[in-house]
Amino acid sequence: MNEQVRRQPDGCERALSEAYDTALLDLDGVVYAGGEAIAHAVESLTAAREGGMHLAYVTNNAARTPQAVADQLSGFGLPTGADDVITSAQAVARLISEQVPAGARVLAIGGEGLRVALHERGLEPVASADDDPAAVVQGYDPTLDWARLAEAAYAVQRGVPWFASNTDLTIPKERGIAPGNGALVEVVRIAAGGSPQVAGKPQPPMHRESVLRTGARRPLVVGDRLDTDIEGAYNGGVDSLLVLTGVTTAAELLAAPPQHRPTYVDADLRGVLGPQPPVTREDDGFRCGGWRAAVAGGALVLDGDGGQMDGLRALCAAAWTAAGDGSYAADAGKVLARIGR
């Protein structure tokens, strides 16, 4: 399907939970949505863990501490320790610690998770640009006010090195889509100019932090967002599974550029427990299960019958191989209707 899948034309004959030693799981849209566990998530991850797969939870949200995230997951019935959670706050704290003296002051514009991560690296969080910080860092904090953003802008204007935990422009909340840390980074950029060093997904520091903390030898990134989870796996050179329980639609998947194309795709986390069927070239098209997809007359066509996911996998192979740039996604509505997506 993408470059990674074309190196594995037979799909994955074993269950993904057996083929990979560690699952690097995104949270919102994958494991839970708001305050509720997503259907099939808890039982699927429990079975994967009991089968020997290490579960690690990787989040761009820098506001909460790993322990707070672990407590929430444990409350869903997924026993989790703080060491099983990797946050963008931890990734950016390591990045800063590699560039400033030990014990340096850091202007921390973010929540408790960011401050705890800085302390873990032996750095001293401060609250003002007048505290002579060696760096300024922004992390998501829903209580952030104008005064703290102004402190960040003052520091950046003075030439203090600028870092951000992540630059996600939005964050899903129970009532809808809200501004994310990236939107607040833009506020400082507008006032002060320049751009920060970014640690979170899809940037390499986040993947490095995940591997260092888990010791993963053959990790599988599992996520719902093409531009963070899947691109992060692409940048890290590892395989990925996209689940369609979050923000990504089937039409968006067909339109994905190369860096946003997952190795595997499934409806939900039950996909971790089984093999992935092969997507095979057949004459001028691609077959998966009972479906055959191809490009004919400049448009995507789909023939056959079978499971929804098999049809989508065949369509991805045809669209991505024929165009390489997502241009066949205009045909998505018509062909996806045939598989009920």
Side-chain angles (χ1 to χ4, degrees), residues 119-192:
H119 280 301
E120 183 184 38
R121 288 286 150 209
L123 302 170
E124 180 185 352
V126 296
S128 172
D130 295 334
D131 290 328
D132 194 27
V136 55
V137 58
Q138 286 183 258
Y140 176 71
D141 179 3
T143 68
L144 201 62
D145 60 19
W146 178 91
R148 295 170 71 195
L149 288 172
E151 291 297 327
Y154 301 149
V156 173
Q157 290 170 46
R158 296 172 188 177
V160 176
W162 183 21
F163 297 82
S165 63
N166 67 296
T167 51
D168 297 0
L169 291 174
T170 62
I171 184 169
K173 307 298 283 185
E174 291 82 352
R175 296 171 59 195
I177 302 299
N181 192 57
L184 302 177
V185 168
E186 281 299 294
V187 171
V188 175
R189 185 190 63 77
I190 291 168

Side-chain angles (χ1 to χ4, degrees), residues 2 99 155 176 204 208 244 292:
N2 62 9
Q99 300 181 41
R208 178 181 63 148
L244 298 177
R292 180 182 177 277

Side-chain angles (χ1 to χ4, degrees), residues 22-23 197 248 288 300 303 319:
T22 303
Q197 295 184 53
T248 299
C288 186
L300 274 175
D303 297 306

Side-chain angles (χ1 to χ4, degrees), residues 16-58:
L16 297 184
S17 58
E18 298 173 357
Y20 298 88
D21 68 329
T22 303
L24 301 177
L25 295 138
D26 183 50
L27 290 171
D28 210 339
V30 176
V31 180
Y32 56 67
E36 300 292 332
I38 286 175
H40 311 295
V42 173
E43 54 266 44
S44 297
L45 293 178
T46 298
R49 184 183 63 245
E50 290 175 349
M53 189 180 214
H54 179 203
L55 305 181
Y57 302 92
V58 184

